[in-house]
Amino acid sequence: MNCQACQSMIDPGDSWCRKCGAAVGHRLDPDNERRFVTILRADVIDSTGLVAELGPEEAVLRLEPALAAMRGAVRQFGGIVSKELGDGLAAVFGAPIADDNHAPLACHAAIELVRRVASLGDPGLQVRVGLHSGHVVAYMVASEFSKVYEIGGAAQHLAARLESAAEANQIYVSEACQSLADGHVRFEFLGSKTLRGFNEPLPVYRIMGASDLSSWRVRRARSISRFVDRTTERALLARAAEGTSEIRQTVLLLGDAGIGKSRLAHEFAQGLRAEGWSLVAAECSPNLQGAPFSTLKRVLLPILEAAAKDPDDPADPRKDLPAIQRCALDAVLDLPISDPQWNDLEPDARRRAISDASCAIIEGMAHRQRTVLLIEDLHWIDRASDTVVAMIASLRARGLLVLLTTRPDGMPVWVASCHAEVVAMRPLDDDSGLAMLADMLGPSETNADLKHRIISHTSNVPLFIEEVCRGLKDSGTLRGQWGDLALVRPIDELGIPASIQGVIAARLDRVSKQERSILQIAATLGQRSSEAMLRKVAGLPEEALQNCLSTLDRAELLVRIDSEVEDALEFRHEMVRQVTYDSMVEKVRENLHARVVAAFENDEAWRDAPERLCYHATRAKNWQKASSYGRAAARKCLVRSAYADAADYFEIAMNSLDKTPITRSREADAVDLRMEARMAFMWSGSVARALELGNEAEERADAINDVERKVAAMTVRASAQNFYGTPSEAVAIGEAVVRLAADWGNQGWSNLAQYGLGQAYFVAGRYHSAEKLLAAVRARLLDPEAHAPIGTTPQYLLLLCCMMNSITHTVMGEFAAAGQLQQQAEAIAEETGRPYDRVAAAYSGGWLKLGQNDPTAAATILEDGFVLAQKHGIRLFVPVLACHLGMAYLEQGLFDRARGMLTEAREEARAVGYTSAVLRGSIYLALAIWRLGDGQAAQNMLREARNTARQQGFSGLEAEALFGEAVVTPAASEANKAAVLASLRAAIAIASESGAKPLQQRAEAMLAGMLARDDRPA
C-alpha cells in the first residue's frame, strides 16, 4: 500500500506513513467535521406553476437565469453552494474554511441574490430566502465523477422553514443569525412565528438592507469595556509618530482576531487627532474583497468629499494634479470620465496613474498637516488596492504616519520592503484583564472567583472577555447594570459565545490536517496533557510529531509550558480546546477517546487514575469499561472522604452498566453496584436517592429470582427508611429484613440489618429495644472474625453501633455506659482518621456532654464535628450536628446564636429528607424563640411539632415537644395551668414507657413544683 501524500510504501500494520507522517487511508475522514456556520436557503416562489405547462427544456430555461443569479450571489460573498434543488439552492458560509464573518457575508449574499433575480426583468421570477446560524456536520460526498460539499443537522431545517415562511423577495432570518450580523445589516423584528416542525414559536427577523456602519463602528457600538493597558505598544506608536518629523513612518499592528488591534489603533489615532493631526481612516471589507479598489475608494472618498464642500479652498488636493491623474481618481470613485486620454491608456498605465494620484493626495495632505492614515484589516484588502497601499506605505514624505492592522495569515508581502515596524499584539496581562472585568462587572470582591475563571477561560483576549461577559448577562446569569453586576446563579461552564466561534475556528483552519489531528488528540486529552501521552495516542513518527508541535506552539494554539512534568503541553486558552473538540463528529471523538483509554491502560503511570479512564471510556461509549472505571473511581473517592464525588461516579458506573446487554450476570452486578453505592449517597445527604437504590435493587433481584440479593436490597431500603420515612414504616421493614437476613445466614448483612433496626427503634422512641439490639450487634462485631456487607467494614459498623448505643444510653440517663461506648467510638475514629468516623464520634460525644449538663464542652465537640462534616461533604450529619450545637448554645444562654443554628439545622434537614431532625430542630428552635420573647410563636411551633410527632409515631420527640409546650406556656390562667399539667403528665407517661429517665425526671420536677404552688395557702 502507498501513502496518498508522498506515495511511499506503507506496511499493512502502520497507522501513519513512516516518511511524511500522513494518516493511513482507513482512518476516519478528518474532513467530516462539526462546523458553526450560516446556512442560506433560497427558492423561486411557485416554480411549479411557472413551468407546469412547459416542456423539460423550456422549464430549465425558465428557471436557470434565477438559479445562475443565486449561484453568483453566493459565490461573490464566499459561500459554497452545497445543493441545488431544481428551483432553488442551499448554501453554506463559514465552511469548509472557517470565517468569523459568516453571518454578515450570508446576509449580504442574500441581499445581492434578491437584487440579481429582480434585475432579470422577469416579474414571474420572485424568490424568498431563509438564513440561520448554527452547528452542522459538514462532509464531502464523493461520486464517480466529483465531490460535493454537504451539510447535515437540525440547523439546515430551520433555514428551510424560514425560507418557506418568507414572503416574495423577502429574507427571513433566525435570531442566531441576526445577533451575529446585527450592525452590519439592518433588521426588522417580525415577532415569534410558528414554523413547521418546531414545537415553540421562534423569533423571526427580516433583512431591511445593508448597514452603512463601518466594522469598527459596529464593534465600538457593541463594546462594553474601556481601553486598558497596552503601555508598550502605545510607546512604540508614540515613537513612530515622533519619527515622522524626519520621514514617513509605517507601523503594522499584527495579531489574531479579538486581540485589540483596532481598539489600540483608534485610541492612538484619536489622540493624535486631538493634538492637531489629520486623520484618514478606512477599513478593508470581507464583503468587497472581489471589488477592485474598494479599499482605496474608502481612503480617498472622505478626503475628496471634504475638499468638494469648499471649491475655493487652496488646499484642494486635486487642483495641482495632472489631468490623467484626476481621471484616475474619478475611475476609483466610479465617476464618469469624458477625457479620451484615459480610455486610450493600457491597463498597466491606468494602474500607475491611480497609484501616482493616490500617493500625491496623501503626500500633499502630510505636507500641509501631519497626517495619520489608518487602514484596518489588510487581510481583507482587494488586490488592486493592495498595490496602491504598498506604494503609499513606502512614501518618503515627512509628517505621515501609516498605521495598518492585519491578522497573521494576511500580512502583506510588501511590509518588509517599506521598512514597516511590526508590532505583534499579545493578550493582556492578568492585571489588565482584571481591570477590564472590574470595569464591566464592578469592583466588588464577590465576583473575584468568576473574574479569575474568565481570565483563565479566555487567556486575556479582550474580545473573548467581553463576549463571555455579554453572554453571562444576556442569559441572566449576571444581573444588574454594566459596572455593577451580580452573579445570581452558579456557573458550570462559561461556554463559547457564538460571536467568537468563527474567530477561533478560522485560526484552527490555518494549520495542516496533520497538525489539526494532533490538536484534536490534545483536545480529547484535556486542557493540559503530556507530550508522552500525546505521542502514545498519535502514533506519529517522532520527527513528524515534533514538527507539528513546533508549528502549533508558534501559532500559540498548543504551547509548551513550564511544569513539574517536563513535557507538559497546554492549550493557550480553554476556548481553543473546546472549539477543537466540538469540531469533531461523534464517531471521531469516540475513536480518539477509545485510543486514549488503550494508551492509559498500557501506561503504568496512569493505571491508578480511574477517574481519567472513566471519563474517556464513557465518551468512547465503551460501557463495560466505563462502569468498571466508574466504580473504581467511586471507591477511590470514598477513601479520601469525597462522598459527593463518589456518588457521581457510582451514578456513572450504574448508568454505564445499564447500557450493556441484559444478562442475569449483568443484573446481579447491577444490584451489587447499588448496594455498594448506598453509603456514598447516604453520607452525602442524598437520602431519597439511597432509598431509590434500595427499591431498584430489590426489583432487579426479584426479576432474576435472587433471594440473597433481595435481602441485601431490603436492608438498604430499611436503612434509608430510618431517615426518610416514619418510624412505624422503618420498624416494620427493619424487623422483616432482620428475619430474612437470619434465614439467609449471611452474617454481614444480618449485622447491618440489626443495626438499622436498632436505629429504627431509637427513632420510634423504643429506647430499651434499641439498646438491647445495638448491644448484641456490637458484641458480634467485636469478634475478630466479624463480617460486614459490601461497601462497609466491621470496624465502621462497630463505630456506628458504639455511637448509636452511646446516644441511646445518654437519652436513658445511663451516662457511665454511654461514656464507655463513647470512648470506644473515639478510639476507632482516632485509629482510622477518617473524617466520617470523627464526625460520628463527635455527634455522640456532643450528645453525651449535653446529657451531662456540660453545654460548653458539648459546643466545642459539636463545632469541630460540624466544621468537619461541612468540609468533607458529610451532609447526612450536618443537620443533626447543627441541631445539637443549637441546643448547646441554648443551654449556654446564647439565644441568638441558638436561633440561627437551629434554623439552619431545620432547613438542612428538610433539604436532606431527614424527618426526625426536622422535628427536633423545630422543637428546640421554638425554645430559642421563646427565650427571645416570642412566646406565642414558640407555642404554635411546638404544638405543630407535637402533632406531627404523634401522627408519624416519633414518640420520643412527642414527649420532648410536650415538655417544651409546658415550659413555654405561661400559667396565667386556669386553662393554661390545666394545659401545662396535661402536657407534663403526657410527657412523663411517654418518657417512662420509653425509658427516657432524664426527660421524665425534669417533667416530674416541674409538675411537682406546680402542684406544690397550688397547695400553698392563699
Side-chain angles (χ1 to χ4, degrees), residues 22-54:
V24 175
H26 66 260
R27 288 194 176 272
L28 290 166
D29 187 352
D31 291 331
N32 293 1
E33 292 188 316
R34 295 177 78 247
R35 292 277 185 169
F36 188 73
V37 300
T38 297
I39 301 163
L40 180 150
R41 290 289 296 258
D43 73 343
V44 175
I45 295 176
D46 192 25
S47 60
T48 303
L50 291 175
V51 301
E53 298 180 0
L54 300 178

mmCIF file of all heavy atoms in Angstrom, residues 22-54:
data_model
loop_
_atom_site.group_PDB
_atom_site.id
_atom_site.type_symbol
_atom_site.label_atom_id
_atom_site.label_comp_id
_atom_site.label_asym_id
_atom_site.label_seq_id
_atom_site.Cartn_x
_atom_site.Cartn_y
_atom_site.Cartn_z
ATOM 1 N N ALA A 22 1.709 11.126 7.316
ATOM 2 C CA ALA A 22 0.297 11.240 6.941
ATOM 3 C C ALA A 22 -0.476 10.025 7.441
ATOM 4 O O ALA A 22 0.049 8.901 7.504
ATOM 5 C CB ALA A 22 0.165 11.364 5.429
ATOM 6 N N ALA A 23 -1.759 10.250 7.809
ATOM 7 C CA ALA A 23 -2.584 9.150 8.303
ATOM 8 C C ALA A 23 -2.896 8.176 7.179
ATOM 9 O O ALA A 23 -3.089 8.562 6.028
ATOM 10 C CB ALA A 23 -3.874 9.694 8.886
ATOM 11 N N VAL A 24 -2.949 6.890 7.515
ATOM 12 C CA VAL A 24 -3.302 5.868 6.541
ATOM 13 C C VAL A 24 -4.787 5.993 6.222
ATOM 14 O O VAL A 24 -5.599 6.333 7.087
ATOM 15 C CB VAL A 24 -2.966 4.472 7.105
ATOM 16 C CG1 VAL A 24 -3.451 3.378 6.157
ATOM 17 C CG2 VAL A 24 -1.463 4.366 7.305
ATOM 18 N N GLY A 25 -5.144 5.701 4.994
ATOM 19 C CA GLY A 25 -6.479 5.990 4.499
ATOM 20 C C GLY A 25 -7.616 5.314 5.222
ATOM 21 O O GLY A 25 -8.743 5.757 5.115
ATOM 22 N N HIS A 26 -7.359 4.223 5.969
ATOM 23 C CA HIS A 26 -8.500 3.545 6.582
ATOM 24 C C HIS A 26 -9.026 4.282 7.798
ATOM 25 O O HIS A 26 -10.061 3.936 8.345
ATOM 26 C CB HIS A 26 -8.121 2.105 6.977
ATOM 27 C CG HIS A 26 -7.098 2.007 8.062
ATOM 28 N ND1 HIS A 26 -5.771 1.760 7.794
ATOM 29 C CD2 HIS A 26 -7.197 2.123 9.410
ATOM 30 C CE1 HIS A 26 -5.090 1.704 8.939
ATOM 31 N NE2 HIS A 26 -5.943 1.938 9.917
ATOM 32 N N ARG A 27 -8.340 5.305 8.229
ATOM 33 C CA ARG A 27 -8.825 6.061 9.380
ATOM 34 C C ARG A 27 -10.049 6.884 8.976
ATOM 35 O O ARG A 27 -10.308 7.137 7.809
ATOM 36 C CB ARG A 27 -7.736 6.985 9.929
ATOM 37 C CG ARG A 27 -6.657 6.208 10.631
ATOM 38 C CD ARG A 27 -5.796 7.138 11.452
ATOM 39 N NE ARG A 27 -4.821 6.356 12.181
ATOM 40 C CZ ARG A 27 -5.028 5.833 13.363
ATOM 41 N NH1 ARG A 27 -6.179 5.981 13.959
ATOM 42 N NH2 ARG A 27 -4.089 5.138 13.973
ATOM 43 N N LEU A 28 -10.785 7.359 9.986
ATOM 44 C CA LEU A 28 -11.956 8.175 9.732
ATOM 45 C C LEU A 28 -11.572 9.446 8.996
ATOM 46 O O LEU A 28 -10.543 10.046 9.262
ATOM 47 C CB LEU A 28 -12.635 8.525 11.059
ATOM 48 C CG LEU A 28 -13.317 7.345 11.759
ATOM 49 C CD1 LEU A 28 -13.644 7.716 13.182
ATOM 50 C CD2 LEU A 28 -14.560 6.926 11.018
ATOM 51 N N ASP A 29 -12.410 9.855 8.059
ATOM 52 C CA ASP A 29 -12.124 11.024 7.241
ATOM 53 C C ASP A 29 -12.141 12.283 8.100
ATOM 54 O O ASP A 29 -13.171 12.641 8.658
ATOM 55 C CB ASP A 29 -13.186 11.144 6.143
ATOM 56 C CG ASP A 29 -12.857 12.249 5.150
ATOM 57 O OD1 ASP A 29 -11.909 13.003 5.409
ATOM 58 O OD2 ASP A 29 -13.566 12.331 4.138
ATOM 59 N N PRO A 30 -11.003 13.000 8.243
ATOM 60 C CA PRO A 30 -10.973 14.186 9.095
ATOM 61 C C PRO A 30 -11.762 15.349 8.514
ATOM 62 O O PRO A 30 -11.970 16.337 9.171
ATOM 63 C CB PRO A 30 -9.474 14.523 9.174
ATOM 64 C CG PRO A 30 -8.888 13.970 7.912
ATOM 65 C CD PRO A 30 -9.703 12.746 7.608
ATOM 66 N N ASP A 31 -12.174 15.235 7.235
ATOM 67 C CA ASP A 31 -12.954 16.312 6.642
ATOM 68 C C ASP A 31 -14.393 16.309 7.157
ATOM 69 O O ASP A 31 -15.124 17.270 6.959
ATOM 70 C CB ASP A 31 -12.959 16.199 5.125
ATOM 71 C CG ASP A 31 -11.583 16.504 4.540
ATOM 72 O OD1 ASP A 31 -10.835 17.287 5.154
ATOM 73 O OD2 ASP A 31 -11.277 15.951 3.482
ATOM 74 N N ASN A 32 -14.815 15.215 7.769
ATOM 75 C CA ASN A 32 -16.151 15.160 8.355
ATOM 76 C C ASN A 32 -16.089 15.848 9.711
ATOM 77 O O ASN A 32 -15.595 15.283 10.685
ATOM 78 C CB ASN A 32 -16.605 13.708 8.546
ATOM 79 C CG ASN A 32 -16.805 13.017 7.209
ATOM 80 O OD1 ASN A 32 -16.584 13.611 6.164
ATOM 81 N ND2 ASN A 32 -17.213 11.760 7.250
ATOM 82 N N GLU A 33 -16.573 17.072 9.775
ATOM 83 C CA GLU A 33 -16.424 17.855 10.993
ATOM 84 C C GLU A 33 -17.709 18.598 11.324
ATOM 85 O O GLU A 33 -18.537 18.857 10.462
ATOM 86 C CB GLU A 33 -15.294 18.886 10.842
ATOM 87 C CG GLU A 33 -13.912 18.269 10.748
ATOM 88 C CD GLU A 33 -12.830 19.340 10.803
ATOM 89 O OE1 GLU A 33 -12.981 20.377 10.137
ATOM 90 O OE2 GLU A 33 -11.846 19.121 11.515
ATOM 91 N N ARG A 34 -17.829 18.925 12.601
ATOM 92 C CA ARG A 34 -18.894 19.816 13.035
ATOM 93 C C ARG A 34 -18.409 21.250 12.839
ATOM 94 O O ARG A 34 -17.284 21.587 13.193
ATOM 95 C CB ARG A 34 -19.246 19.577 14.500
ATOM 96 C CG ARG A 34 -19.841 18.211 14.754
ATOM 97 C CD ARG A 34 -20.101 17.989 16.230
ATOM 98 N NE ARG A 34 -21.305 18.677 16.675
ATOM 99 C CZ ARG A 34 -21.335 19.705 17.518
ATOM 100 N NH1 ARG A 34 -20.200 20.211 17.978
ATOM 101 N NH2 ARG A 34 -22.455 20.239 17.906
ATOM 102 N N ARG A 35 -19.255 22.081 12.281
ATOM 103 C CA ARG A 35 -18.898 23.460 11.994
ATOM 104 C C ARG A 35 -20.007 24.392 12.463
ATOM 105 O O ARG A 35 -21.192 24.046 12.418
ATOM 106 C CB ARG A 35 -18.707 23.668 10.484
ATOM 107 C CG ARG A 35 -17.491 22.958 9.907
ATOM 108 C CD ARG A 35 -16.256 23.789 10.109
ATOM 109 N NE ARG A 35 -15.079 23.212 9.486
ATOM 110 C CZ ARG A 35 -13.939 23.855 9.350
ATOM 111 N NH1 ARG A 35 -13.809 25.093 9.791
ATOM 112 N NH2 ARG A 35 -12.901 23.265 8.795
ATOM 113 N N PHE A 36 -19.613 25.582 12.899
ATOM 114 C CA PHE A 36 -20.583 26.625 13.215
ATOM 115 C C PHE A 36 -20.633 27.553 12.009
ATOM 116 O O PHE A 36 -19.649 28.239 11.701
ATOM 117 C CB PHE A 36 -20.178 27.381 14.474
ATOM 118 C CG PHE A 36 -21.235 28.341 14.953
ATOM 119 C CD1 PHE A 36 -22.383 27.865 15.560
ATOM 120 C CD2 PHE A 36 -21.087 29.704 14.784
ATOM 121 C CE1 PHE A 36 -23.370 28.729 15.987
ATOM 122 C CE2 PHE A 36 -22.070 30.588 15.206
ATOM 123 C CZ PHE A 36 -23.218 30.101 15.816
ATOM 124 N N VAL A 37 -21.752 27.546 11.307
ATOM 125 C CA VAL A 37 -21.844 28.209 10.009
ATOM 126 C C VAL A 37 -23.167 28.966 9.907
ATOM 127 O O VAL A 37 -24.019 28.890 10.795
ATOM 128 C CB VAL A 37 -21.760 27.174 8.860
ATOM 129 C CG1 VAL A 37 -20.456 26.411 8.890
ATOM 130 C CG2 VAL A 37 -22.955 26.211 8.915
ATOM 131 N N THR A 38 -23.323 29.670 8.796
ATOM 132 C CA THR A 38 -24.626 30.239 8.450
ATOM 133 C C THR A 38 -25.118 29.563 7.170
ATOM 134 O O THR A 38 -24.372 29.441 6.195
ATOM 135 C CB THR A 38 -24.545 31.754 8.243
ATOM 136 O OG1 THR A 38 -24.147 32.363 9.477
ATOM 137 C CG2 THR A 38 -25.896 32.319 7.837
ATOM 138 N N ILE A 39 -26.345 29.107 7.221
ATOM 139 C CA ILE A 39 -26.940 28.384 6.095
ATOM 140 C C ILE A 39 -27.924 29.298 5.392
ATOM 141 O O ILE A 39 -28.736 29.979 6.031
ATOM 142 C CB ILE A 39 -27.678 27.123 6.594
ATOM 143 C CG1 ILE A 39 -26.696 26.210 7.344
ATOM 144 C CG2 ILE A 39 -28.335 26.380 5.441
ATOM 145 C CD1 ILE A 39 -27.382 25.188 8.187
ATOM 146 N N LEU A 40 -27.850 29.308 4.078
ATOM 147 C CA LEU A 40 -28.765 30.080 3.235
ATOM 148 C C LEU A 40 -29.602 29.107 2.424
ATOM 149 O O LEU A 40 -29.062 28.208 1.786
ATOM 150 C CB LEU A 40 -27.983 31.025 2.318
ATOM 151 C CG LEU A 40 -28.778 31.915 1.355
ATOM 152 C CD1 LEU A 40 -28.020 33.219 1.098
ATOM 153 C CD2 LEU A 40 -29.067 31.213 0.015
ATOM 154 N N ARG A 41 -30.915 29.299 2.472
ATOM 155 C CA ARG A 41 -31.823 28.528 1.613
ATOM 156 C C ARG A 41 -32.637 29.524 0.791
ATOM 157 O O ARG A 41 -33.185 30.488 1.326
ATOM 158 C CB ARG A 41 -32.773 27.669 2.460
ATOM 159 C CG ARG A 41 -32.105 26.514 3.177
ATOM 160 C CD ARG A 41 -31.686 25.430 2.209
ATOM 161 N NE ARG A 41 -32.802 24.815 1.539
ATOM 162 C CZ ARG A 41 -33.310 23.631 1.869
ATOM 163 N NH1 ARG A 41 -32.773 22.919 2.848
ATOM 164 N NH2 ARG A 41 -34.338 23.130 1.203
ATOM 165 N N ALA A 42 -32.699 29.310 -0.517
ATOM 166 C CA ALA A 42 -33.448 30.200 -1.404
ATOM 167 C C ALA A 42 -34.168 29.377 -2.458
ATOM 168 O O ALA A 42 -33.666 28.332 -2.894
ATOM 169 C CB ALA A 42 -32.500 31.202 -2.074
ATOM 170 N N ASP A 43 -35.346 29.843 -2.830
ATOM 171 C CA ASP A 43 -36.045 29.177 -3.927
ATOM 172 C C ASP A 43 -36.932 30.169 -4.664
ATOM 173 O O ASP A 43 -37.194 31.280 -4.188
ATOM 174 C CB ASP A 43 -36.860 27.977 -3.440
ATOM 175 C CG ASP A 43 -38.122 28.371 -2.675
ATOM 176 O OD1 ASP A 43 -38.216 29.541 -2.243
ATOM 177 O OD2 ASP A 43 -39.010 27.517 -2.513
ATOM 178 N N VAL A 44 -37.356 29.782 -5.845
ATOM 179 C CA VAL A 44 -38.278 30.581 -6.662
ATOM 180 C C VAL A 44 -39.690 30.253 -6.216
ATOM 181 O O VAL A 44 -40.084 29.078 -6.144
ATOM 182 C CB VAL A 44 -38.099 30.267 -8.157
ATOM 183 C CG1 VAL A 44 -39.135 31.013 -8.983
ATOM 184 C CG2 VAL A 44 -36.693 30.626 -8.607
ATOM 185 N N ILE A 45 -40.472 31.296 -5.920
ATOM 186 C CA ILE A 45 -41.840 31.101 -5.444
ATOM 187 C C ILE A 45 -42.717 30.560 -6.581
ATOM 188 O O ILE A 45 -42.642 31.031 -7.730
ATOM 189 C CB ILE A 45 -42.408 32.430 -4.900
ATOM 190 C CG1 ILE A 45 -41.618 32.853 -3.653
ATOM 191 C CG2 ILE A 45 -43.891 32.301 -4.574
ATOM 192 C CD1 ILE A 45 -42.028 34.197 -3.103
ATOM 193 N N ASP A 46 -43.533 29.558 -6.237
ATOM 194 C CA ASP A 46 -44.487 28.960 -7.182
ATOM 195 C C ASP A 46 -43.797 28.519 -8.472
ATOM 196 O O ASP A 46 -44.289 28.763 -9.583
ATOM 197 C CB ASP A 46 -45.624 29.939 -7.514
ATOM 198 C CG ASP A 46 -46.779 29.246 -8.244
ATOM 199 O OD1 ASP A 46 -46.939 28.016 -8.067
ATOM 200 O OD2 ASP A 46 -47.493 29.937 -8.995
ATOM 201 N N SER A 47 -42.648 27.882 -8.333
ATOM 202 C CA SER A 47 -41.928 27.415 -9.522
ATOM 203 C C SER A 47 -42.730 26.367 -10.272
ATOM 204 O O SER A 47 -42.655 26.275 -11.508
ATOM 205 C CB SER A 47 -40.566 26.848 -9.119
ATOM 206 O OG SER A 47 -40.729 25.759 -8.228
ATOM 207 N N THR A 48 -43.514 25.583 -9.549
ATOM 208 C CA THR A 48 -44.321 24.558 -10.213
ATOM 209 C C THR A 48 -45.315 25.185 -11.177
ATOM 210 O O THR A 48 -45.494 24.734 -12.319
ATOM 211 C CB THR A 48 -45.073 23.717 -9.168
ATOM 212 O OG1 THR A 48 -44.133 23.140 -8.274
ATOM 213 C CG2 THR A 48 -45.886 22.611 -9.835
ATOM 214 N N GLY A 49 -45.944 26.272 -10.726
ATOM 215 C CA GLY A 49 -46.893 26.962 -11.593
ATOM 216 C C GLY A 49 -46.231 27.591 -12.801
ATOM 217 O O GLY A 49 -46.827 27.659 -13.889
ATOM 218 N N LEU A 50 -44.986 28.044 -12.627
ATOM 219 C CA LEU A 50 -44.278 28.693 -13.729
ATOM 220 C C LEU A 50 -43.941 27.730 -14.852
ATOM 221 O O LEU A 50 -43.906 28.109 -16.029
ATOM 222 C CB LEU A 50 -42.983 29.340 -13.214
ATOM 223 C CG LEU A 50 -43.130 30.565 -12.302
ATOM 224 C CD1 LEU A 50 -41.760 31.001 -11.796
ATOM 225 C CD2 LEU A 50 -43.794 31.712 -13.066
ATOM 226 N N VAL A 51 -43.684 26.472 -14.501
ATOM 227 C CA VAL A 51 -43.204 25.520 -15.523
ATOM 228 C C VAL A 51 -44.190 24.399 -15.785
ATOM 229 O O VAL A 51 -43.883 23.463 -16.523
ATOM 230 C CB VAL A 51 -41.837 24.930 -15.094
ATOM 231 C CG1 VAL A 51 -40.816 26.024 -14.918
ATOM 232 C CG2 VAL A 51 -41.962 24.097 -13.816
ATOM 233 N N ALA A 52 -45.390 24.496 -15.201
ATOM 234 C CA ALA A 52 -46.345 23.380 -15.295
ATOM 235 C C ALA A 52 -46.692 23.006 -16.717
ATOM 236 O O ALA A 52 -46.859 21.834 -17.055
ATOM 237 C CB ALA A 52 -47.609 23.728 -14.500
ATOM 238 N N GLU A 53 -46.799 24.006 -17.579
ATOM 239 C CA GLU A 53 -47.223 23.734 -18.949
ATOM 240 C C GLU A 53 -46.054 23.762 -19.932
ATOM 241 O O GLU A 53 -46.263 23.814 -21.155
ATOM 242 C CB GLU A 53 -48.285 24.760 -19.366
ATOM 243 C CG GLU A 53 -49.542 24.683 -18.494
ATOM 244 C CD GLU A 53 -50.591 25.697 -18.912
ATOM 245 O OE1 GLU A 53 -50.338 26.448 -19.876
ATOM 246 O OE2 GLU A 53 -51.655 25.727 -18.274
ATOM 247 N N LEU A 54 -44.834 23.740 -19.409
ATOM 248 C CA LEU A 54 -43.657 23.810 -20.279
ATOM 249 C C LEU A 54 -43.017 22.435 -20.408
ATOM 250 O O LEU A 54 -43.117 21.580 -19.509
ATOM 251 C CB LEU A 54 -42.637 24.793 -19.709
ATOM 252 C CG LEU A 54 -43.096 26.250 -19.529
ATOM 253 C CD1 LEU A 54 -41.978 27.073 -18.902
ATOM 254 C CD2 LEU A 54 -43.517 26.845 -20.875
#
